[in-house]
Amino acid sequence: MSIQSKKSTDKKVKATKKSIPAFEWKYAPAPESTDHIDIKPQYELFIGGKFVKPATSEYFETTNPANNKVLSSIAKAGASDVDKAVKAARKAYAQSWQKMPARERGKYLYRIARLIQERAREFAVIETLDGGKPIRESRDIDIPLAANHFFYYAGWADKLPYAFPNRKPMPLGVAGQIIPWNFPLLMAAWKIAPALATGNTVVLKPAETTPLTALKLAELIQEAGLPEGVVNVVTGFGDTGAALVNHASVDKIAFTGSTPVGKYIQKAIAGTGKKVTLELGGKAANIIFDDAPIDQAVEGIVNGIFFNQGHVCCAGSRLFVQENIASTVIAKLKRRMKTLVVGDPMDKNTDIGAINSAAQLKKIQHYIQLGQQEGAEIYQTDQALPDKGLFCKPTLFLGTSQSHRIVQEEIFGPVLTIQTFRTIEEVIEKANNIPYGLSAGVWTDKGSKIFNLSNRLRAGVVWANTYNKFDPASPFGGYKESGFGREGGLHGLYPYVQFEH
Ligand code: NAI
Ligand code: MG
């Protein structure tokens, strides 16, 4: 291209930009199709390799939070169903899984991983329909990461002696695993893959609002030919989870969810000898220094809190900005928020999808009201929300202080509080002054600041110049009321093994 023609192209681009003001751009709808998915009108419990009716004869509905339409009827497992599932898992442990050569177990895990990849599109669409998260996230994050967790732990299955040199790792037995609604398939993969790789069998209890992908996974596991009873799925509410926690023949409980339920579980199993890992809430600090690349940091802030509607335990829900750049960062952040598309989760342009349940939306709205009562200044964009379904505008609270409840408590929605700071000491003190300690973010040009902060922030994960990045090879877990135990990586094997003395 000649210099002459390049100049004229630049001019044209400029002219076009001028005539279309940035925030009035509308994307044409780009909905993902649902032709290729199969959701049955009714799902039973997956026990001993078969789909079986619940002894309770009770079913509950799972809906699509973006339009409140019912997707399917789901079996409600009672204590006797949980007992049946635990017995099936115990039998499979004793008769097949524990005895099987480790490399054979690995082959099954590889097979599950590959089948998830093959059906990635179907899993992504069902995840979005059932939970409300944007299709872009379930397609690009949840499902590929779930497959990668199975691949990663498949690799460990026959290499455990290398993971624990000079020790003899042995499985624990039957693992009861209870998962939440924010990353349904991914949490199932985080729980099931390391348990199976180490020779344990599993009873999984998905969340009541998002059971579909776990049940699809059960179908896939059946197809992969896993020995009967190695993985069992019992659907239901809190009482189903409690029946699993209190079952005498469960050797280990792995739980991800709210801090109150985590505390309940810890009390319930005290003195029983059951092992436990808890991954609970969070209230992460995302810290921006004045030497940070500001535009990237603004993207990181947006990704940190508005990603998945803020339904993320490690969400960067407390923003700390160095005082001298606060006005620039806030202006850029507000400008970016205006471009976020809130709406139909099935549309590929959507940034912020539906809130998972009416109860969760009520909780978020309560905190938005509370923030205003506490005297913080609220900022929301003026874009309209869809008429139907459960939606919430991305929300910013300025002028907040450490003692505000919106700063101290987990909201689990697209709500960000902003505080400013002057010195490193001050921001470390403020960031750590919280009951939680799951994650944090640091944005700076200086490596030394990153090392200093990552050592002194009481958080299980500290991201530097990025946010909300996951990899099966890196461990994840919390401090303080965010729980204990690690999932992912080599560390994620520990909670599922014991050693000969
Ligand atoms: P929850 O902790 O009640 O639910 C998580 C899972 O635990 C679900 O499968 C549920 O059926 C099960 N469960 C509930 N009560 C139980 C019990 N007594 N024994 C055993 N299992 C039980 O979370 P919920 O009510 O859905 O959300 C409430 C709040 O929890 C959210 O607003 C959010 O702040 C937090 N949360 C945190 C999550 C995280 O990833 N850390 C995930 C989900 C919620
Ligand atoms: Mg649902």
Side-chain angles (χ1 to χ4, degrees):
M1 189 192 285
S2 72
I3 291 173
Q4 190 57 44
S5 70
K6 188 175 187 301
K7 264 193 181 162
S8 61
T9 325
D10 284 350
K11 249 187 212 159
K12 252 188 219 158
V13 170
K14 255 190 193 159
T16 334
K17 267 194 184 157
K18 217 173 180 184
S19 60
I20 307 173
F23 305 135
E24 287 176 19
W25 287 357
K26 287 266 183 295
Y27 293 103
E32 172 63 89
S33 108
T34 52
D35 306 349
H36 56 290
I37 66 160
D38 172 29
I39 300 179
K40 294 197 180 92
Q42 185 169 308
Y43 281 92
E44 312 298 345
L45 307 172
F46 185 62
I47 298 177
K50 292 178 192 69
F51 284 91
V52 295
K53 294 204 175 295
T56 59
S57 303
E58 286 179 50
Y59 291 81
F60 61 95
E61 287 171 342
T62 188
T63 56
N64 176 350
N67 57 21
N68 299 325
K69 283 193 185 144
V70 174
L71 292 166
S72 183
S73 262
I74 310 291
K76 187 170 176 288
S80 72
D81 298 299
V82 170
D83 179 52
K84 216 166 125 189
V86 173
K87 284 188 175 136
R90 174 67 56 199
K91 192 171 158 203
Y93 175 71
Q95 294 184 357
S96 64
W97 200 245
Q98 185 200 12
K99 288 187 197 157
M100 190 182 284
R103 65 175 183 284
E104 295 299 319
R105 288 201 294 260
K107 279 189 203 167
Y108 283 110
L109 290 174
Y110 279 121
R111 200 178 294 166
I112 295 171
R114 280 196 302 271
L115 284 170
I116 294 175
Q117 279 187 324
E118 277 170 24
R119 306 235 187 103
R121 245 184 107 196
E122 186 182 9
F123 271 105
V125 168
I126 296 177
E127 200 72 304
T128 286
L129 289 174
D130 203 12
K133 64 170 59 195
I135 186 70
R136 226 173 45 212
E137 276 169 26
S138 40
R139 183 194 65 192
D140 297 347
I141 297 167
D142 294 60
I143 312 302
L145 266 177
N148 287 349
H149 268 269
F150 278 104
F151 275 122
Y152 176 79
Y153 283 108
W156 273 122
D158 62 348
K159 300 175 196 70
L160 295 179
Y162 299 95
F164 307 103
N166 302 320
R167 304 174 85 187
K168 193 171 170 232
M170 296 180 306
L172 301 173
V174 175
Q177 308 184 317
I178 301 164
I179 55 173
W181 40 262
N182 53 348
F183 291 89
L185 185 72
L186 185 59
M187 288 302 109
W190 278 28
K191 300 271 181 293
I192 295 174
L196 297 195
T198 45
N200 301 276
T201 56
V202 162
V203 179
L204 179 81
K205 210 299 273 172
E208 48 271 40
T209 56
T210 55
L212 286 178
T213 46
L215 291 161
K216 294 299 288 185
L217 181 66
E219 288 178 354
L220 184 152
I221 281 171
Q222 204 178 31
E223 198 180 313
L226 237 77
E228 288 175 1
V230 171
V231 174
N232 305 273
V233 180
V234 288
T235 39
F237 294 76
D239 52 346
T240 308
L244 188 56
V245 167
N246 293 315
H247 196 290
S249 181
V250 168
D251 301 295
K252 189 223 153 55
I253 294 291
F255 173 77
T256 299
S258 62
T259 298
V261 175
K263 287 182 180 174
Y264 158 81
I265 290 175
Q266 215 175 356
K267 279 185 201 145
I269 63 163
T272 63
K274 283 179 197 164
K275 299 215 171 182
V276 66
T277 39
L278 302 174
E279 200 266 274
L280 310 174
K283 192 77 181 173
N286 205 358
I287 302 168
I288 322 287
F289 286 97
D290 60 2
D291 57 359
I294 292 184
D295 290 328
Q296 276 128 288
V298 169
E299 275 309 299
I301 297 163
V302 166
N303 178 34
I305 183 65
F306 300 134
F307 164 71
N308 199 22
Q309 301 72 250
H311 294 340
V312 186
C313 44
C314 51
S317 49
R318 290 182 298 149
L319 177 63
F320 289 95
V321 187
Q322 200 152 17
E323 198 177 75
N324 53 337
I325 54 159
S327 58
T328 314
V329 171
I330 291 165
K332 282 181 186 258
L333 184 59
K334 286 181 175 174
R335 187 167 182 275
R336 180 68 179 93
M337 282 170 71
K338 286 183 185 162
T339 67
L340 292 173
V341 181
V342 187
D344 181 7
M346 287 290 280
D347 192 310
K348 290 167 201 151
N349 297 317
T350 294
D351 297 300
I352 301 180
I355 300 301
N356 183 265
S357 65
Q360 189 59 30
L361 182 57
K362 204 170 150 202
K363 177 178 171 186
I364 299 167
Q365 283 165 343
H366 164 75
Y367 274 105
I368 291 177
Q369 244 180 2
L370 184 71
Q372 290 163 284
Q373 284 162 10
E374 285 182 316
E377 180 194 331
I378 187 170
Y379 173 80
Q380 288 178 322
T381 61
D382 49 16
Q383 72 160 296
L385 295 180
D387 321 327
K388 264 196 242 143
L390 310 168
F391 291 90
C392 178
K393 285 187 179 187
T395 305
L396 211 62
F397 275 112
L398 301 142
T400 57
S401 69
Q402 204 61 21
S403 60
H404 283 160
R405 280 182 60 195
I406 53 166
V407 170
Q408 289 287 326
E409 296 172 20
E410 185 181 48
I411 301 173
F412 226 61
V415 182
L416 178 67
T417 63
I418 302 189
Q419 290 170 267
T420 58
F421 68 93
R422 289 185 185 172
T423 66
I424 290 195
E425 294 308 314
E426 178 192 352
V427 77
I428 291 175
E429 176 96 28
K430 283 181 171 170
N432 285 338
N433 179 6
I434 200 93
Y436 296 106
L438 192 56
S439 60
V442 181
W443 296 80
T444 169
D445 197 28
K446 281 239 180 302
S448 54
K449 260 189 220 161
I450 292 171
F451 284 123
N452 184 7
L453 265 88
S454 52
N455 276 326
R456 295 174 60 200
L457 289 171
R458 299 290 291 162
V461 179
V462 181
W463 284 290
N465 294 329
T466 187
Y467 206 89
N468 268 342
K469 289 280 181 286
F470 299 92
D471 188 279
S474 49
F476 183 88
Y479 282 97
K480 301 191 276 186
E481 289 197 17
S482 292
F484 49 80
R486 296 291 177 262
E487 292 184 299
L490 173 61
H491 303 69
L493 295 167
Y494 273 95
Y496 290 99
V497 294
Q498 56 187 328
F499 301 100
E500 257 175 9
H501 294 293

